[in-house]
């Protein structure tokens, strides 16, 4: 024995016994709202009941109404509120006074395996496992009963007359029915039976089958749990006091009835078993291999597939790719000839790049996930889109939809596979033309061209069009021209200088002959850049149609008149626009023009501002704050000055205020209108602000001048 044990000797050994007689019915009651010195042992227990499965207990205990601490008037008032004035056997307080209180239990813990009640007697410790630990708290359910009775009395008072009328009608109906059936029995005819007992249609409803997920949600819902709890019946009990003979008898069961060690094997353990109970071995964790998404395949898994499946899987996921990229994804040492043989089985050549075939994406007997269109129809529509890209870099979505007549969601999906949207140019093919592949493999290019001719002939029969409708393309596909920003700027300056003289003469003539006083603004040379509404890049098509960007001359009168008509129409609708917003609207107008129609010639900002000023508009010199984030085009604000209507006076007052402040208050505008025009109705002020302004934080700004 170690020397340390001598300092802490064992002074007594106690035998421990496990009593099981009450192990399934022993509960520990706690009263957390009651001091331990004030027990309920001497209080008269009126009733007790339990729901064993839920471990729910309710007790009723008497209240000493003769105590000096008891308020008799309050007790009588509570009883009156709960039971009313009429006497009934179901009354909560039969003595017309609150003379009892109720306690309801809640579970202190659901896991009682570590708790037991112990009795130490004659040097032996007897422990009994607890079934439950319950905390008893006062219950005020009688107040709910009082509220229910109050609502019932109010409903009875409100519906008394109608109830009496219904009762009289019921009596009349019973009387008539009795009189009509007091006759001798004769063989009834079918028509008589129909008259006396009319047949009415009975509507039968069948509940739809409940899914497993919905069933689990229903079983876990609060309503279902409350219903299950209410279904368990109460078991009524008889209370015995602490000093009662029955209680003394039951307490004997807290002692172990059998002292034989064989029957108390739970407490007889070897040191190894005891140590195992204290420190159970760790359960071996089962390694689960992570499962990736069904549409994701790792490169390691991919290279285990045959070459044909590798190519098909890559093309199916990427949709379009150059042959060089495909070879880079395949395993090193893959034969390019074998790869070319495989790729031609699952893809078609478009502008030197390989695009997956439609029947690979949409197998037979499948349908669109968006619209339910069959796969055969989807394949024809997608083939048409790819055929268009073999002839030009960009296509217009509206034009494609009008021909293949498929839902917009499906058409958009076709285009997203192989193209990207471009402003004013529709959808442009995703990748640049791979001229190197075409030059290196002319035999494959020729074979693919023959395939496309066969597909074209089929599409012409199905969609009833001719290839001439989209412009002949007998020459090979040209390489796309990539123009830098500096080249764009230089081209724009050259075009503006070339058109400047003719446009200036035309503008001077209009100013001399026009009756409108036009405000002339000085515009720097830097503003002669072309606006975004038209592109100076020769991309082979304009407005989605090749050759539409024909020579427009040096700003002919037709284009100028069309521009002015658009300016007038736009400002009569919006009244106030920044130069940036007007350019955006013009771009949308150009994009919406019919295919093949001549669009506007390249227009500089200078020309655009002059066209706006010629159409009864003026520039509002809004004093933007120094810290503004507005772009230069957003700081140029134009407003419709003259429409020939009486309301123009109101707008001019508003514009004059915005020449001095970049934001105004409503009451300031109303005062200014009253000073200038007299009494102005509130409806006119509302109309003026709604037409020309936008509100934020109690202030009003001209349209387009409020920065987010």
């Amino acid at each position: 024995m170690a020397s340390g044990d001598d300092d802490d000797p064992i002074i007594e050994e106690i035998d421990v016994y496990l009593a099981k007689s009450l192990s399934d019915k022993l509960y520990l009651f706690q009263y957390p709202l009651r001091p331990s010195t004030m027990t309920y042992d001497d209080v008269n227990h009126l009733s007790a009941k339990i729901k064993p499965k839920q471990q729910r207990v309710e007790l009723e205990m008497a209240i000493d109404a003769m105590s000096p601490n008891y308020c008799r008037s309050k007790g009588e008032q509570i009883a009156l509120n709960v039971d009313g004035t009429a006497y009934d056997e179901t009354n909560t307080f039969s003595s017309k006074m609150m003379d009892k209180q109720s306690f309801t239990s809640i579970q202190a813990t659901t896991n009682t395996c570590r708790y037991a009640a112990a009795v130490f007697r004659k040097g032996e410790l007897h422990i009994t496992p607890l079934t439950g630990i319950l905390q008893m708290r006062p219950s005020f359910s009688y107040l709910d009963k009082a509220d229910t009775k109050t609502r019932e009395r109010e409903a009875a008072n409100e519906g008394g007359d109608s109830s009496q009328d219904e009762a009289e009608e019921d009596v009349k109906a019973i009387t008539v029915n009795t009189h009509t059936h007091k006759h001798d029995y004769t063989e009834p005819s079918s028509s008589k039976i129909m008259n006396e007992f009319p047949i009415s249609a009975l509507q039968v409803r069948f509940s739809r089958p409940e899914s497993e997920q919905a069933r689990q949600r229903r079983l876990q819902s609060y309503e279902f749990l409350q219903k299950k709890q209410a279904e368990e019946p109460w078991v009524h009990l008889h209370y015995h006091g602490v000093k009662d003979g029955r209680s003394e008898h039951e307490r004997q069961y807290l002692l172990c009835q059998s002292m034989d060690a064989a029957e108390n094997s739970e407490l007889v353990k070897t040191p190894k078993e005891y140590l195992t109970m204290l420190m159970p071995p760790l359960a071996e964790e089962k390694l689960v291999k992570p499962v990736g998404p069904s549409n994701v395949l790792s490169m390691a898994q991919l290279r285990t597939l045959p070459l044909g499946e590798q190519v098909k899987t890559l093309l199916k996921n990427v949709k379009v790719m150059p042959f060089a990229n495909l070879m880079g994804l395949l395993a090193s040492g893959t034969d390019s000839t074998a790869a070319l043989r495989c790729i031609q089985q699952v893809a078609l050549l478009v502008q030197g790049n390989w695009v997956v075939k439609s029947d690979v994406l949409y197998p037979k007997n499948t349908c669109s996930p968006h619209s339910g269109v069959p796969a055969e129809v989807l394949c024809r529509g997608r083939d048409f889109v790819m055929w268009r890209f073999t002839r030009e870099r960009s296509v217009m979505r509206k034009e494609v939809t009008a021909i293949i007549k498929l839902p917009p969601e499906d058409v958009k999906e076709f285009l997203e596979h192989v193209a990207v949207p471009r402003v004013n140019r529709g959808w442009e093919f995703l990748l640049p033309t791979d001229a190197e592949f075409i030059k290196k493999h002319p035999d494959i290019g020729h074979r693919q061209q023959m395939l496309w001719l066969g597909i074209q002939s089929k599409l012409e029969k199905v969609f009833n069009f001719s290839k001439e409708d989209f412009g002949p393309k007998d020459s090979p596909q040209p390489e796309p021209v990539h123009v830098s920003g500096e080249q764009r700027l230089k081209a724009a300056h050259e075009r503006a200088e070339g058109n400047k003289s003719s446009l200036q003469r035309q503008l001077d003539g209009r100013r001399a002959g026009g009756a409108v006083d036009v405000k002339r603004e000085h515009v720097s040379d830097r503003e002669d850049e072309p606006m975004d509404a038209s592109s100076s890049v020769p991309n082979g098509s304009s407005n989605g149609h090749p050759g539409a960007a024909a020579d427009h001359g040096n700003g002919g009168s037709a284009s100028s008149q069309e521009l002015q008509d658009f300016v007038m129409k736009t400002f009569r609708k919006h009244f106030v626009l920044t130069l940036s917003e007007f350019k955006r609207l013009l771009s949308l107008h150009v994009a919406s023009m019919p295919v093949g129609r001549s669009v506007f010639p390249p227009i500089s900002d200078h020309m655009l501002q002059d066209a706006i000023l010629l159409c009864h508009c003026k520039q509002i010199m809004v004093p933007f704050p120094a810290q503004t984030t507005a772009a230069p085009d957003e700081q140029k604000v134009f407003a419709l000055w003259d429409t020939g209507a009486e309301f123009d006076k109101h707008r001019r007052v508003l514009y004059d205020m915005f020449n001095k402040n970049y934001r105004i208050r409503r009451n300031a505008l109303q005062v200014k209108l009253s000073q200038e025009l007299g009494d102005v109705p509130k409806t006119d002020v509302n109309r003026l602000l709604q037409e020309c302004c936008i509100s934020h934080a109690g202030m009003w700004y001209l349209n387009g001048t409020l920065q987010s």
Side-chain angles (χ1 to χ4, degrees):
M1 181 178 291
S3 60
D5 293 340
D6 296 337
D7 300 333
D8 190 15
I10 298 174
I11 60 174
E12 187 177 1
E13 291 187 358
I14 300 173
D15 292 332
V16 180
Y17 296 93
L18 182 63
K20 303 179 183 178
S21 301
L22 300 177
S23 60
D24 59 343
K25 59 188 76 171
L26 185 62
Y27 293 89
L28 174 64
F29 284 11
Q30 298 176 340
Y31 295 87
L33 304 182
R34 185 87 164 182
S36 60
T37 57
M38 299 175 61
T39 65
Y40 288 102
D41 294 344
D42 299 328
V43 177
N44 184 20
H45 288 62
L46 303 177
S47 66
K49 54 185 178 179
I50 184 174
K51 289 187 175 183
K53 293 181 181 179
Q54 302 174 33
Q55 294 190 8
R56 184 179 174 188
V57 176
E58 286 190 5
L59 301 177
E60 282 190 356
M61 300 185 191
I63 297 178
D64 185 8
M66 305 305 294
S67 171
N69 299 322
Y70 183 82
C71 181
R72 192 176 186 86
S73 61
K74 291 291 184 183
E76 291 175 350
Q77 183 62 46
I78 292 174
L80 180 63
N81 292 341
V82 174
D83 298 327
T85 56
Y87 177 77
D88 191 356
E89 293 181 356
T90 61
N91 284 0
T92 304
F93 305 109
S94 57
S95 62
K96 302 291 184 179
M97 184 183 301
M98 183 180 174
D99 55 357
K100 61 182 178 181
Q101 61 177 331
S102 301
F103 290 85
T104 303
S105 70
I106 61 172
Q107 286 184 280
T109 178
T110 56
N111 184 14
T112 58
C113 62
R114 297 183 296 120
Y115 299 93
V119 178
F120 185 72
R121 186 172 183 179
K122 296 180 181 181
E124 299 171 347
L125 184 65
H126 299 260
I127 60 175
T128 304
L130 290 176
T131 304
I133 301 177
L134 307 180
Q135 291 185 349
M136 306 300 297
R137 298 175 183 269
S139 172
F140 303 98
S141 57
Y142 54 85
L143 297 179
D144 297 334
K145 185 178 178 182
D147 293 340
T148 303
K149 287 207 169 188
T150 302
R151 287 193 294 268
E152 289 176 353
R153 284 196 297 268
E154 292 176 355
N157 293 335
E158 293 176 358
D161 297 338
S162 61
S163 300
Q164 185 176 358
D165 296 340
E166 290 176 2
E168 291 176 358
E169 291 179 1
D170 291 343
V171 171
K172 291 179 182 179
I174 293 171
T175 305
V176 172
N177 192 28
T178 305
H179 292 166
T180 55
H181 286 81
K182 286 184 177 180
H183 55 77
D184 295 334
Y185 179 79
T186 56
E187 185 69 25
S189 63
S190 59
S191 60
K192 190 172 184 180
I193 292 176
M194 292 289 290
N195 292 333
E196 292 188 1
F197 305 99
I199 299 175
S200 59
L202 180 63
Q203 185 176 5
V204 180
R205 293 183 179 179
F206 296 93
S207 61
R208 60 182 180 183
E210 187 179 30
S211 65
E212 183 63 25
Q213 188 177 7
R215 180 176 173 275
Q216 292 295 333
R217 286 198 302 266
R218 180 175 60 82
L219 294 181
Q220 295 175 6
S221 65
Y222 176 77
E223 181 181 0
F224 180 80
L225 295 177
Q226 289 292 101
K227 183 179 178 182
K228 292 292 290 184
Q229 290 180 2
E231 288 178 355
E232 184 181 359
W234 287 103
V235 178
H236 292 272
L237 309 173
H238 182 70
Y239 176 79
H240 296 273
V242 176
K243 300 177 181 179
D244 189 87
R246 180 63 183 271
S247 298
E248 290 288 345
H249 175 73
E250 291 292 332
R251 270 197 291 272
Q252 296 301 316
Y253 288 109
L254 292 175
L255 304 176
C256 184
Q257 304 300 311
S258 175
M259 301 298 183
D260 188 2
E263 296 188 10
N264 284 275
S265 59
E266 291 87 350
L267 300 180
V268 180
K269 301 291 181 184
T270 64
K272 186 175 181 180
E273 291 174 340
Y274 184 65
L275 185 62
T276 304
M277 291 174 64
L278 290 178
M279 300 179 63
L282 295 175
E284 294 184 4
E285 295 185 1
K286 200 173 184 180
L287 296 176
V288 180
K289 188 176 181 181
V291 179
S294 58
N295 62 334
V296 175
L297 189 66
S298 68
M299 294 302 295
Q301 292 175 312
L302 179 68
R303 289 175 179 174
T304 61
L305 301 175
L307 180 60
E309 286 297 320
Q310 292 185 44
V311 173
K312 181 178 180 181
T313 303
L314 287 171
L315 264 298
K316 193 172 180 181
N317 281 274
V318 181
K319 309 297 189 300
V320 54
M321 67 191 313
F323 183 72
N325 288 11
L326 176 66
M327 292 301 296
L329 293 173
L330 297 175
S332 58
T334 303
D335 184 18
S336 61
T337 305
L340 280 172
R341 193 181 304 114
C342 294
I343 199 172
Q344 293 181 71
Q345 297 175 6
V346 295
L348 292 169
L349 194 65
V350 178
Q351 299 188 21
N353 300 281
W354 291 97
V355 181
V356 63
K357 288 184 177 179
S358 300
D359 54 3
V360 175
L361 286 181
Y362 305 107
K364 195 174 181 180
N365 299 327
T366 61
C367 60
S368 167
H370 306 293
S371 59
V373 175
E376 294 79 2
V377 182
L378 292 176
C379 290
R380 289 197 297 266
R382 187 173 180 275
D383 287 345
F384 176 79
V385 173
M386 291 196 298
W387 173 76
R388 286 292 305 275
F389 279 119
T390 62
R391 302 173 61 78
E392 52 194 321
R393 288 288 301 173
S394 302
V395 300
M396 300 300 291
R397 178 176 166 182
K398 288 196 299 184
E399 180 184 340
V400 171
T401 306
I403 293 176
I404 65 178
K405 294 180 174 59
L406 284 178
E409 296 84 1
D410 294 321
V411 178
K412 185 179 180 182
E413 185 179 73
F414 299 159
L415 293 170
E416 286 176 341
H417 287 170
V418 295
V420 290
R422 301 294 187 196
V423 178
N424 302 330
R425 286 185 287 170
W427 289 75
E428 185 180 6
F429 193 69
L430 190 62
L431 300 175
T433 302
D434 191 354
E436 183 179 351
F437 178 85
I438 299 175
K439 184 178 179 181
K440 188 176 180 180
H441 303 279
D443 54 334
I444 294 178
H446 180 71
R447 190 180 304 118
Q448 290 292 315
Q449 187 177 3
M450 294 299 101
L451 284 175
W452 277 119
L453 288 175
I455 294 174
Q456 174 188 320
S457 62
K458 293 180 181 178
L459 295 176
E460 288 177 351
K461 295 177 182 178
V462 173
F463 297 121
N464 194 20
F465 72 90
S466 174
K467 65 178 181 179
E468 285 76 16
D469 296 340
F470 308 103
K473 292 237 175 166
D474 298 331
S475 58
Q477 182 100 16
E479 286 192 37
V481 180
H482 297 279
V483 183
S484 65
E486 294 181 357
Q487 291 173 324
R488 286 175 180 266
L489 186 59
K490 184 178 179 181
H493 277 297
E494 292 175 355
R495 186 169 56 255
E497 288 297 330
N499 296 342
K500 186 174 181 180
S501 58
S502 61
L503 291 175
Q504 187 64 41
R505 287 195 300 272
Q506 182 183 359
L507 181 60
D508 291 342
R510 285 181 177 275
R511 283 177 175 169
V516 181
D517 183 19
V518 179
K519 178 181 178 180
R520 302 189 63 172
E521 299 281 343
H522 172 71
V523 184
S524 64
D525 295 337
R526 190 172 58 86
E527 294 178 348
D528 288 339
E529 303 172 1
M531 62 171 290
D532 294 338
S534 62
S535 175
S536 60
V537 182
N539 63 348
S541 66
S542 177
N543 197 26
H545 192 280
D551 184 13
H552 293 278
N554 293 325
S557 59
S559 298
S560 178
Q561 184 61 41
E562 187 175 2
L563 176 61
Q564 291 189 23
D565 291 343
F566 174 75
V567 171
M568 201 64 195
K569 180 181 177 182
T570 303
F571 273 91
R572 282 187 176 274
K573 180 179 180 181
H574 297 281
F575 296 101
V576 177
L577 288 170
T578 63
L579 182 61
S580 173
E581 177 64 12
F582 181 78
K583 287 160 69 174
R584 187 185 71 84
L585 294 175
L586 181 58
S587 298
L588 294 176
H589 176 66
V590 172
S592 65
M593 284 185 174
V595 177
R597 179 178 173 181
S598 296
V599 296
F600 296 114
I603 305 172
S604 67
D605 287 359
H606 191 167
M607 296 160 56
L608 194 59
Q609 293 178 68
D610 284 342
I612 294 174
L613 295 174
L614 280 172
C615 296
H616 308 283
C617 297
K618 284 190 177 183
Q619 183 174 0
I620 310 300
M621 309 304 294
V622 179
F624 285 87
Q627 66 275 17
T628 182
T629 59
D633 283 354
E634 294 175 341
Q635 297 186 33
K636 296 176 182 178
V637 185
F638 296 90
L640 183 60
W641 192 262
D642 186 12
T643 63
E646 188 69 22
F647 203 70
D648 291 342
K649 299 178 183 178
H650 299 68
R651 295 194 191 93
R652 291 169 187 169
V653 173
L654 178 70
Y655 301 155
D656 184 59
M657 293 183 69
F658 276 108
N659 274 320
K660 301 173 184 176
N661 298 284
Y662 81 102
R663 60 182 183 181
I664 63 173
R665 292 191 179 274
R666 178 193 178 92
N667 55 0
L669 173 62
Q670 199 153 6
V671 170
K672 186 71 173 177
L673 288 171
S674 301
Q675 293 174 354
E676 298 287 338
L677 305 175
D679 190 18
V680 177
K682 184 179 179 181
T683 54
D684 288 351
V685 179
N686 292 339
R687 175 188 169 188
L688 182 61
L689 291 173
Q690 289 174 2
E691 286 180 353
C692 304
C693 301
I694 184 171
S695 174
H696 176 69
M699 304 296 290
W700 289 87
Y701 303 77
L702 276 179
N703 288 335
T705 61
L706 176 62
Q707 300 301 309
S708 58

